[in-house]
Amino acid sequence: MVACPCGSGRSFADCCRPFVRGELEPPTAEALMRSRYTAYARRDEDYLFRTWHESSRPMTLDVDAVDWRGLNVIGTTGGGPDDVEGTVTFVAHHSTGAISTGSMRETSRFVKQDGRWLYVDGDVD
């Protein structure tokens, strides 16, 4: 079993792969956040752009700058299947070279538009 990078404890095939491949839509803001983390870890720019709200989507993205090493979801507000907005607070662990490691804590904002969850922006602590 290839473990999903999002830290769910499930296999990639049974977790984020259907979202990243576009076979299914993430049903919650947390599922979208986890699949976006997975896309960063797997360097999948296409998925990141597809799931980024047009109001805040950057023109370019450098997914090769950081190696993502682990994810801890701290909490959520809203973001359920019947909600139209939500937040997810998480800590993402990373390295930027052979010996440089760190972590980033973010509270991300998501909106549901036309039945799809999209990342809007986030506050980094």
Side-chain angles (χ1 to χ4, degrees), residues 26-29 32 79-80 83-86 110-112 115-119:
T28 65
L32 177 61
D83 294 318
V84 295
E85 56 187 29
F110 299 89
V111 296
K112 190 185 266 185
R116 292 181 57 230
W117 282 106
L118 298 168
Y119 170 78

Side-chain angles (χ1 to χ4, degrees), residues 1-24:
M1 171 183 95
V2 175
C4 192
C6 82
S8 67
R10 297 168 39 205
S11 73
F12 175 60
D14 292 332
C15 192
C16 290
R17 185 175 74 183
F19 305 139
V20 172
R21 286 189 172 178
E23 298 164 355
L24 296 172

Side-chain angles (χ1 to χ4, degrees), residues 59-119:
M59 296 297 292
T60 62
L61 192 59
D62 183 6
V63 295
D64 294 324
V66 175
D67 289 321
W68 297 101
R69 302 288 185 194
L71 177 69
N72 300 100
V73 175
I74 307 300
T76 63
T77 58
D82 297 324
D83 294 318
V84 295
E85 56 187 29
T87 65
V88 180
T89 302
F90 63 92
V91 176
H93 306 279
H94 59 80
S95 65
T96 54
I99 53 176
S100 177
T101 61
S103 61
M104 175 190 85
R105 180 184 171 113
E106 179 175 319
T107 298
S108 297
R109 284 180 284 282
F110 299 89
V111 296
K112 190 185 266 185
Q113 183 176 306
D114 299 325
R116 292 181 57 230
W117 282 106
L118 298 168
Y119 170 78

